[in-house]
Amino acid sequence: MDIWIRPDQVFDGQALVSGQVVHLSGDEIAEVAPNAPVNVQVQAVPGILTPGYLDLQVNGGGDVLLNSTPTRAGMQTMAGAHRRFGTVGIMPTVITDHPDVLDRAADAAIAAKGDKGILGLHIEGPHISQARRGTHAGEFVRSFDERTMAVVAGLRKAGVVVMITVAPEAVTTEQIAKLASMGAIVSLGHTDASAEGMKAAIDAGAECATHLFNAMSPMSSRQPGAVGAVINSDLYSGIICDGVHVDDAMVGLAYRARPVQDRLFLVSDSMSTVGGRDSFELYGAKITLQNGRLLNAEGSLAGAHVTQAEGVRRLVLSVGLDLQQALRMAVTVPAACIRAPAYAELIGRRSEDVVLLTPDLKYHAAVSDMALAAA
């Protein structure tokens, strides 16, 4: 297959540009240039071409919740569900649970290494704050232990990218330093720590923060808390942009207030309802989708029902970022956070991992599907 297309705009992983043609050769993006060779037919394509979205916090999708199905097949189903909405790479996320669940999820991540759409494993808990555990089951929350350290060591030995969310009050600075020395991405979250406690964890090697604002000690005029510490730092940080977990105005404030650019990235924190039914069970309790919110029996939030495509669109239309900024938050920054910048590049990418957005920023299709239709 050898075709040339001219989208309205192209995001090349760094900048959003107009007036470019894209050459698809075989199943890869071969070239992006101002013009095609003479006598080559170019197909005009309305919309924006971009590397597919990345999501570093995905609890489920396609009726699969990783905690309930901690298997390679479960991860593949989750990845396939999110791919239908333009997210081509996910980090399956196992939340606080019995240690055996983490062991099985780790084994699955090792088996799934290199599978399409699987970026690694995000371990969110159980080493978190009881006061800020959110929907995580309190019976499984505990201080960091050697069992989890051994799991992370095994994953890293197998070459699996690992992000692990911990609260500074549930882990020592020595343990953070050891995790970081293994190459694990230590992320701070579900924490009631003070700004000083956060700084100690950052100095020890923490590199990231988990869903900024949510499940964190808040920022006030006299106490920066975990939220203020993250915003003032150079940590990478995920943030949920669904209009439910964080007010749009606060998303914009956090984006503008960070002292270092390209540190805030978009996550979905999505559950099995993305590409699936509107209810599921978590810890034996029913969670139901109601007016865009996933609620447990007590009416508390239990994860999110949003795609990265919806988050990008909201960043532009409701938060007020420009499209280049929003795409960097869904592609460039998460790729940098996991030390895999190639995921934010176009040249050499498989066309199934490059997507087209409609002019009104909705996900339309993978470029591979478009190419087949044009052939």
Side-chain angles (χ1 to χ4, degrees):
M1 187 178 299
D2 192 273
I3 64 173
W4 292 77
I5 61 174
R6 186 185 296 276
D8 294 333
Q9 293 179 293
V10 174
F11 179 66
D12 63 4
Q14 298 300 319
L16 185 66
V17 294
S18 301
Q20 300 290 299
V21 293
V22 179
H23 180 202
L24 283 69
S25 178
D27 60 358
E28 291 187 351
I29 305 298
E31 186 178 357
V32 178
N35 295 291
V38 178
N39 298 325
V40 167
Q41 184 177 1
V42 178
Q43 178 185 349
V45 177
I48 302 100
L49 185 142
T50 176
Y53 300 134
L54 308 176
D55 193 344
L56 305 188
Q57 190 171 1
V58 178
N59 307 293
D63 286 324
V64 169
L65 193 68
L66 185 60
N67 278 61
S68 302
T69 311
T71 65
R72 179 182 184 181
M75 291 181 172
Q76 290 171 335
T77 296
M78 290 166 56
H82 285 268
R83 184 173 283 271
R84 289 165 47 195
F85 304 98
T87 299
V88 304
I90 68 166
M91 187 167 276
T93 301
V94 57
I95 68 171
T96 299
D97 213 319
H98 190 280
D100 290 349
V101 174
L102 174 56
D103 289 346
R104 291 175 62 198
D107 290 343
I110 292 169
K113 182 178 180 291
D115 285 357
K116 184 168 73 173
I118 307 297
L119 302 177
L121 182 68
H122 185 162
I123 302 169
E124 185 187 359
H127 313 301
I128 57 175
S129 162
Q130 279 282 2
R132 300 287 177 183
R133 63 182 174 83
T135 196
H136 292 225
E139 64 187 290
F140 298 119
V141 171
R142 62 189 188 275
S143 294
F144 197 84
D145 54 35
E146 284 306 311
R147 183 166 179 176
T148 300
M149 188 71 80
V151 168
V152 175
L155 287 162
R156 292 301 301 137
K157 184 178 180 180
V160 175
V161 177
V162 179
M163 179 178 286
I164 179 165
T165 294
V166 297
E169 58 267 47
V171 62
T172 67
T173 53
E174 290 78 15
Q175 288 167 331
I176 290 175
K178 185 173 181 179
L179 289 166
S181 72
M182 294 177 184
I185 302 160
V186 179
S187 190
L188 305 178
H190 285 277
T191 175
D192 208 32
S194 65
E196 291 76 19
M198 294 288 286
K199 184 178 186 304
I202 294 168
D203 290 344
E207 299 175 76
C208 191
T210 296
H211 48 45
L212 178 61
F213 290 111
N214 295 117
M216 288 184 178
S217 50
M219 176 174 56
S220 70
S221 60
R222 293 184 178 88
Q223 296 293 332
V227 169
V230 173
I231 290 176
N232 275 329
S233 75
D234 63 357
L235 290 176
Y236 287 99
S237 174
I239 194 166
I240 306 167
C241 187
D242 61 355
V244 174
H245 283 76
V246 183
D247 187 90
D248 293 329
M250 298 304 288
V251 175
L253 182 151
Y255 183 88
R256 294 188 299 272
R258 299 302 304 276
V260 179
Q261 290 186 339
D262 288 332
R263 287 295 187 270
L264 194 64
F265 60 89
L266 189 67
V267 295
S268 70
D269 197 23
S270 55
M271 294 295 200
S272 61
T273 52
V274 170
R277 295 185 295 269
D278 62 2
S279 66
F280 60 95
E281 283 197 359
L282 178 64
Y283 305 125
K286 187 174 183 179
I287 309 298
T288 305
L289 181 63
Q290 302 177 34
N291 299 318
R293 297 168 179 251
L294 287 173
L295 303 175
N296 61 20
E298 289 74 40
S300 298
L301 287 173
H305 177 77
V306 68
T307 66
Q308 292 291 76
E310 291 168 328
V312 165
R313 193 166 188 265
R314 190 174 192 94
L315 283 171
V316 176
L317 300 182
S318 299
V319 176
L321 301 190
D322 65 43
L323 181 56
Q324 178 175 296
Q325 293 170 325
L327 291 173
R328 290 183 73 87
M329 284 182 64
V331 178
T332 316
V333 183
C337 178
I338 62 172
R339 309 172 193 127
Y343 285 123
E345 297 175 357
L346 272 181
I347 307 300
R349 289 295 295 279
R350 294 178 63 88
S351 56
E352 65 180 354
D353 291 334
V354 179
V355 304
L356 187 77
L357 311 181
T358 63
D360 63 351
L361 309 185
K362 295 179 180 178
Y363 170 68
H364 175 60
V367 170
S368 57
D369 296 334
M370 295 168 43
L372 287 172

